[in-house]
Each structure stands twice: as C-alpha cells, then as structure tokens.
Amino acid sequence: MSAAPRHVETDVLIIGSGGAGMYAAIEAARAGCGVLLADRSLIGRGGATVMAQMTVAVALGSETPDHWSFHYNDTLEAGRGLCDERLARLLCEEGPACIREMEEWGIGWARKDGRITQAFAPGHDRPRCVYVDFLNTGPAVSKTLRGAVTRSKGIRKAGDLVIVDLVRAGGEVTGAVALAYARAAPPSPSPPRRRSWQPAGLPGSTAATAPPPTWVATAMRWRCAPAHR
C-alpha cells in the first residue's frame, strides 16, 4: 500500500461503527447526507455493542403499563447525579420507537403470547428490558444494524483505519487524519463535499503496532476541546 496521503471528502464523517455509530450513519443517510463510516476494526464488529449480552431497557409497556418518563426517573435515580439529564431523556423518550424499528428490521426480540417480552433488571421499577436471548442480544443488535447500513444508500464504509488526529478550520472540527492498516483498502475518491478526511497508508502497520484507542481519543479530546482538560 502506498504511504502517500489520500484525500476523501464526505458530508458526514462518523468515527466508530458500534451500535451508536451505525445508527448515526443510518439517520444521516436518511437525511440525504453522504456518509463515511470509519472504524479501526471491521465495520459493525467492533466497539461495545457486539460484546453486550443481556438486555436493553426501554419503556415499551408491552407486558406492564409503562411510560418513558418512568424510565427516565429510574435512570436518574440509579445514576445518583452522574447522568447527563438531557441525554438520558433523549434515550428514554426515543428508545421505544428505535426498538420497534429494529423489530421491523428483523432482529427477533423474544416474545410471549405475541408480545415482546420484558424482564426485570436492577434499577427499574417494573419489567422493562427486552432481549433476543440472554447471551446474544448485543451481537444480534450489531448484525441487524449492519444489515440496515448495507441497505442504506449514501453510506460508504472504511474499516481497518486508526484515526490519529482531527482537522480543524475556523474553530470547528472539519475532518480527521487516519492511518490505514496494511490490509485495508482506502475508500475511493469522491466529488468535493463539505467534510474532509485524509487517510494515509502506513506500510507494515498492524493492529499490534497501532496506538490504543483510548490514548488516541484522549489526545484528540485534549487538543480540540481544551475546556475539558
């Protein structure tokens, strides 16, 4: 692979292709944006989602009457002041629609008497947790989202890329710099758009020689958001 930098542009660059990254890519594509979904691993097979096992808490009310506000109150109480209340509300309020959407995509939530099963879990005042099975819910979520990403027009995928820096212009982050693993194929060039990404192939680089993701993320956060130091 050539070590010469390669410039690729896109409307939206999403770094990380776990559950959150894949769904963000789907939503951006729905809005008509061109999306580049990049990950240091295989697309949709890294991150925390694929390793999760048990359940997903959501106020569906399929077995016991429920409402997102009850879920929200339980979340804040269990969080003991550590929750971002705005994000917690977003999660609790929009969660039911996302769970039903994934059912339409074929995830196969466990059911009883024709209704999605909900189980008790610590921190909740009623049965609220859906699952595929108690050992493979995370992998099922990842697989379902990978399928939705593949079906979505406007999403380009680029795995085996280590994001090592963020590009800023006018006080805003406008792109990123990445190193490509030797086995990776860089995405093809595209017509100029608003967001830029500049991967540089590094001959001989491997997962073993790449910097740990937590080090890279911390360094980028310190350089681009000094207020959080």
Side-chain angles (χ1 to χ4, degrees), residues 145-225:
L145 289 173
R146 286 198 305 271
V149 166
T150 299
R151 293 190 299 272
S152 297
K153 296 181 179 180
I155 300 177
R156 290 180 295 161
K157 298 176 286 186
D160 295 330
L161 295 169
V162 183
I163 306 297
V164 296
D165 202 0
L166 298 177
V167 178
R168 294 184 298 171
E172 296 183 352
V173 175
T174 58
V177 177
L179 299 178
Y181 293 163
R183 65 178 182 273
S188 59
S190 60
R193 288 182 176 170
R194 291 180 301 228
R195 296 290 182 260
S196 63
W197 170 67
Q198 296 173 302
L202 185 63
S205 67
T206 65
T209 61
T214 51
W215 294 5
V216 175
T218 299
M220 289 191 293
R221 178 170 64 92
W222 274 51
R223 194 172 78 80
C224 293

